[in-house]
PDB file of all heavy atoms in Angstrom:
ATOM      1  N   GLY A 297      32.507  38.102 -91.708  1.00 85.00           N
ATOM      2  CA  GLY A 297      32.860  37.780 -93.039  1.00 85.00           C
ATOM      3  C   GLY A 297      32.332  36.398 -93.457  1.00 85.00           C
ATOM      4  O   GLY A 297      31.619  35.675 -92.712  1.00 85.00           O
ATOM      5  N   GLN A 298      32.686  36.057 -94.700  1.00 88.00           N
ATOM      6  CA  GLN A 298      32.211  34.687 -95.185  1.00 88.00           C
ATOM      7  C   GLN A 298      32.916  33.600 -94.460  1.00 88.00           C
ATOM      8  O   GLN A 298      34.010  33.813 -94.060  1.00 88.00           O
ATOM      9  CB  GLN A 298      32.513  34.698 -96.720  1.00 88.00           C
ATOM     10  CG  GLN A 298      31.690  35.674 -97.477  1.00 88.00           C
ATOM     11  CD  GLN A 298      32.161  35.921 -98.858  1.00 88.00           C
ATOM     12  OE1 GLN A 298      33.280  36.470 -99.022  1.00 88.00           O
ATOM     13  NE2 GLN A 298      31.554  35.352 -99.850  1.00 88.00           N
ATOM     14  N   PHE A 299      32.336  32.443 -94.530  1.00 88.00           N
ATOM     15  CA  PHE A 299      32.972  31.209 -93.960  1.00 88.00           C
ATOM     16  C   PHE A 299      33.228  31.227 -92.465  1.00 88.00           C
ATOM     17  O   PHE A 299      33.990  30.325 -91.978  1.00 88.00           O
ATOM     18  CB  PHE A 299      34.260  30.892 -94.791  1.00 88.00           C
ATOM     19  CG  PHE A 299      34.184  31.128 -96.227  1.00 88.00           C
ATOM     20  CD1 PHE A 299      34.955  32.035 -96.937  1.00 88.00           C
ATOM     21  CD2 PHE A 299      33.270  30.392 -96.955  1.00 88.00           C
ATOM     22  CE1 PHE A 299      34.897  32.222 -98.219  1.00 88.00           C
ATOM     23  CE2 PHE A 299      33.185  30.641 -98.313  1.00 88.00           C
ATOM     24  CZ  PHE A 299      33.962  31.470 -98.965  1.00 88.00           C
ATOM     25  N   SER A 300      32.737  32.208 -91.788  1.00 83.00           N
ATOM     26  CA  SER A 300      33.108  32.377 -90.391  1.00 83.00           C
ATOM     27  C   SER A 300      32.557  31.292 -89.462  1.00 83.00           C
ATOM     28  O   SER A 300      33.022  31.050 -88.341  1.00 83.00           O
ATOM     29  CB  SER A 300      32.705  33.731 -89.822  1.00 83.00           C
ATOM     30  OG  SER A 300      31.364  33.968 -89.873  1.00 83.00           O
ATOM     31  N   PHE A 301      31.547  30.549 -89.942  1.00 83.00           N
ATOM     32  CA  PHE A 301      31.007  29.463 -89.127  1.00 83.00           C
ATOM     33  C   PHE A 301      31.557  28.105 -89.474  1.00 83.00           C
ATOM     34  O   PHE A 301      31.212  27.048 -89.007  1.00 83.00           O
ATOM     35  CB  PHE A 301      29.480  29.452 -89.217  1.00 83.00           C
ATOM     36  CG  PHE A 301      28.798  30.476 -88.394  1.00 83.00           C
ATOM     37  CD1 PHE A 301      28.441  31.739 -89.019  1.00 83.00           C
ATOM     38  CD2 PHE A 301      28.548  30.355 -87.131  1.00 83.00           C
ATOM     39  CE1 PHE A 301      27.884  32.744 -88.319  1.00 83.00           C
ATOM     40  CE2 PHE A 301      27.951  31.335 -86.407  1.00 83.00           C
ATOM     41  CZ  PHE A 301      27.602  32.563 -87.019  1.00 83.00           C
ATOM     42  N   LEU A 302      32.524  28.121 -90.416  1.00 86.00           N
ATOM     43  CA  LEU A 302      33.102  26.901 -90.885  1.00 86.00           C
ATOM     44  C   LEU A 302      34.576  26.778 -90.210  1.00 86.00           C
ATOM     45  O   LEU A 302      35.158  27.731 -89.727  1.00 86.00           O
ATOM     46  CB  LEU A 302      33.319  26.969 -92.418  1.00 86.00           C
ATOM     47  CG  LEU A 302      32.044  27.079 -93.240  1.00 86.00           C
ATOM     48  CD1 LEU A 302      32.375  27.188 -94.699  1.00 86.00           C
ATOM     49  CD2 LEU A 302      31.113  25.887 -92.966  1.00 86.00           C
ATOM     50  N   PRO A 303      35.079  25.542 -90.300  1.00 87.00           N
ATOM     51  CA  PRO A 303      36.481  25.403 -89.808  1.00 87.00           C
ATOM     52  C   PRO A 303      37.438  26.307 -90.625  1.00 87.00           C
ATOM     53  O   PRO A 303      37.080  26.780 -91.747  1.00 87.00           O
ATOM     54  CB  PRO A 303      36.829  23.892 -90.085  1.00 87.00           C
ATOM     55  CG  PRO A 303      35.400  23.250 -90.176  1.00 87.00           C
ATOM     56  CD  PRO A 303      34.457  24.341 -90.735  1.00 87.00           C
ATOM     57  N   GLU A 304      38.567  26.482 -90.146  1.00 89.00           N
ATOM     58  CA  GLU A 304      39.579  27.313 -90.863  1.00 89.00           C
ATOM     59  C   GLU A 304      39.785  26.879 -92.294  1.00 89.00           C
ATOM     60  O   GLU A 304      39.805  25.701 -92.577  1.00 89.00           O
ATOM     61  CB  GLU A 304      40.962  27.287 -90.131  1.00 89.00           C
ATOM     62  CG  GLU A 304      40.904  27.825 -88.745  1.00 89.00           C
ATOM     63  CD  GLU A 304      40.685  29.323 -88.803  1.00 89.00           C
ATOM     64  OE1 GLU A 304      41.138  30.147 -89.610  1.00 89.00           O
ATOM     65  OE2 GLU A 304      39.913  29.728 -87.808  1.00 89.00           O
ATOM     66  N   LEU A 305      39.933  27.790 -93.244  1.00 93.00           N
ATOM     67  CA  LEU A 305      40.115  27.461 -94.612  1.00 93.00           C
ATOM     68  C   LEU A 305      41.590  27.026 -94.837  1.00 93.00           C
ATOM     69  O   LEU A 305      42.523  27.637 -94.174  1.00 93.00           O
ATOM     70  CB  LEU A 305      39.878  28.674 -95.476  1.00 93.00           C
ATOM     71  CG  LEU A 305      38.402  29.185 -95.557  1.00 93.00           C
ATOM     72  CD1 LEU A 305      38.347  30.341 -96.485  1.00 93.00           C
ATOM     73  CD2 LEU A 305      37.496  28.035 -96.095  1.00 93.00           C
ATOM     74  N   SER A 306      41.860  26.130 -95.567  1.00 96.00           N
ATOM     75  CA  SER A 306      43.256  25.684 -95.936  1.00 96.00           C
ATOM     76  C   SER A 306      43.745  26.756 -96.884  1.00 96.00           C
ATOM     77  O   SER A 306      43.082  27.516 -97.505  1.00 96.00           O
ATOM     78  CB  SER A 306      43.311  24.342 -96.529  1.00 96.00           C
ATOM     79  OG  SER A 306      42.736  24.314 -97.812  1.00 96.00           O
ATOM     80  N   ASP A 307      45.121  26.797 -97.137  1.00 97.00           N
ATOM     81  CA  ASP A 307      45.714  27.687 -98.016  1.00 97.00           C
ATOM     82  C   ASP A 307      45.154  27.458 -99.436  1.00 97.00           C
ATOM     83  O   ASP A 307      44.958  28.344-100.225  1.00 97.00           O
ATOM     84  CB  ASP A 307      47.198  27.665 -98.036  1.00 97.00           C
ATOM     85  CG  ASP A 307      47.823  28.385 -96.820  1.00 97.00           C
ATOM     86  OD1 ASP A 307      47.056  29.134 -96.126  1.00 97.00           O
ATOM     87  OD2 ASP A 307      48.986  28.398 -96.634  1.00 97.00           O
ATOM     88  N   ALA A 308      44.929  26.145 -99.830  1.00 97.00           N
ATOM     89  CA  ALA A 308      44.404  25.801-101.109  1.00 97.00           C
ATOM     90  C   ALA A 308      42.938  26.366-101.271  1.00 97.00           C
ATOM     91  O   ALA A 308      42.584  26.868-102.367  1.00 97.00           O
ATOM     92  CB  ALA A 308      44.332  24.316-101.295  1.00 97.00           C
ATOM     93  N   GLN A 309      42.173  26.396-100.207  1.00 97.00           N
ATOM     94  CA  GLN A 309      40.786  26.906-100.299  1.00 97.00           C
ATOM     95  C   GLN A 309      40.880  28.430-100.312  1.00 97.00           C
ATOM     96  O   GLN A 309      40.046  29.060-101.019  1.00 97.00           O
ATOM     97  CB  GLN A 309      40.024  26.476 -99.025  1.00 97.00           C
ATOM     98  CG  GLN A 309      39.705  25.046 -99.039  1.00 97.00           C
ATOM     99  CD  GLN A 309      39.144  24.510 -97.685  1.00 97.00           C
ATOM    100  OE1 GLN A 309      39.586  24.855 -96.638  1.00 97.00           O
ATOM    101  NE2 GLN A 309      38.161  23.610 -97.770  1.00 97.00           N
ATOM    102  N   ILE A 310      41.793  29.042 -99.582  1.00 97.00           N
ATOM    103  CA  ILE A 310      41.900  30.526 -99.675  1.00 97.00           C
ATOM    104  C   ILE A 310      42.361  30.897-101.057  1.00 97.00           C
ATOM    105  O   ILE A 310      41.792  31.797-101.722  1.00 97.00           O
ATOM    106  CB  ILE A 310      43.047  30.944 -98.588  1.00 97.00           C
ATOM    107  CG1 ILE A 310      42.453  30.785 -97.188  1.00 97.00           C
ATOM    108  CG2 ILE A 310      43.389  32.448 -98.879  1.00 97.00           C
ATOM    109  CD1 ILE A 310      43.537  30.948 -96.184  1.00 97.00           C
TER     110      ILE A 310
END
Side-chain angles (χ1 to χ4, degrees):
Q298 295 164 287
F299 318 119
S300 61
F301 285 93
L302 299 176
E304 296 295 323
L305 296 178
S306 68
D307 282 353
Q309 291 169 322
I310 292 168

